[in-house]
Amino acid sequence: MSIEEIALEAEDRMEKSVTLLTDQLRGIRTGRANVGLIESIRVDYYGSSTPLKQLANLSTPEPQQILIRPFDPSVIGDIVKAIQTSDIGLTPNSDGKAVRLNVPPLSVEQRKKLVGRVKDLAEEARISIRNIRRDANKQGDQEQTDKILTEDDLATCKEEIQNLTKKFESKVNDLADKKSAEVLES
């Protein structure tokens, strides 16, 4: 592998770590309703576990309410059960055609717990990025051992990988700071 290939593979994997973090942060509650809280809840639909966003139209008609309109009204009971067994802490109200979730304002204590969760998720993402850096550096070392890269090429490769690591850790920090600020605002 060339320096470019090693760096490109590392960058691709780091980008996936940041994308995963973004998806995880979308599911963390803030003071207002957000369909990201529920779109990944799995519903038992005819024997298969299906994400809620594939079974229903999700919207926020009011700042403190999420509206779920299933494409197939016969699945409402399964949706209600899936929401009740999930860990989001919201109680579904069903009228037979749609499910409404009222999102109550968060207490200061709940906000602090959520900020702690955001920090934990961000740290997991940073660890993932560092592991990718380690793997890419190992790949570079192996390429040098196999006489494909010179010492100078290896140094250049490691420098490029370190720059990628800093760039993606910075993205993770920005995402975490933004989400923490969003959770703490009332």
Side-chain angles (χ1 to χ4, degrees):
M1 285 182 125
S2 68
I3 296 172
E4 292 80 22
E5 290 171 327
I6 294 170
L8 197 61
E9 182 181 329
E11 184 175 19
D12 186 46
R13 290 178 61 202
M14 288 178 186
E15 190 66 54
K16 287 178 183 172
S17 291
V18 171
T19 302
L20 176 64
L21 175 66
T22 304
D23 291 343
Q24 289 172 327
L25 291 179
R26 195 175 309 130
I28 290 185
R29 241 178 96 186
T30 59
R32 57 188 170 277
N34 176 2
V35 295
L37 293 171
I38 59 166
E39 64 186 8
S40 60
I41 290 177
R42 313 285 285 170
V43 179
D44 186 34
Y45 183 62
Y46 292 110
S48 68
S49 181
T50 310
L52 183 56
K53 66 182 175 184
Q54 292 180 6
L55 296 176
N57 184 10
L58 309 174
S59 62
T60 53
E62 298 173 23
Q64 300 297 60
Q65 188 179 76
I66 300 173
L67 180 63
I68 305 166
R69 291 187 190 270
F71 304 127
D72 176 7
S74 68
V75 78
I76 283 185
D78 295 328
I79 290 173
V80 168
K81 188 169 27 169
I83 291 170
Q84 288 172 335
T85 58
S86 72
D87 62 351
I88 62 170
L90 299 176
T91 306
N93 300 321
S94 172
D95 63 5
K97 295 179 183 171
V99 178
R100 295 182 193 284
L101 295 171
N102 290 316
V103 181
L106 294 169
S107 70
V108 174
E109 185 178 313
Q110 289 171 318
R111 289 177 192 276
K112 287 180 181 175
K113 281 183 184 175
L114 290 174
V115 167
R117 178 78 178 127
V118 168
K119 288 179 181 174
D120 291 345
L121 290 172
E123 185 57 27
E124 287 174 22
R126 283 191 289 271
I127 289 169
S128 171
I129 289 169
R130 291 180 197 130
N131 287 340
I132 294 165
R133 174 186 61 192
R134 183 198 62 223
D135 293 346
N137 284 338
K138 274 187 187 174
Q139 180 70 34
D141 290 338
Q142 184 60 45
E143 298 296 323
Q144 188 203 7
T145 303
D146 295 345
K147 304 285 187 217
I148 296 172
L149 296 178
T150 65
E151 276 187 44
D152 290 344
D153 288 343
L154 179 62
T156 303
C157 181
K158 286 187 176 187
E159 185 179 320
E160 198 169 318
I161 290 166
Q162 182 59 33
N163 290 339
L164 282 174
T165 303
K166 286 179 183 175
K167 173 183 158 189
F168 282 98
E169 281 186 340
S170 158
K171 282 184 180 182
V172 166
N173 293 337
D174 291 346
L175 286 170
D177 291 346
K178 183 179 172 190
K179 188 65 175 188
S180 293
E182 200 176 299
V183 167
L184 289 173
E185 77 183 28
S186 9

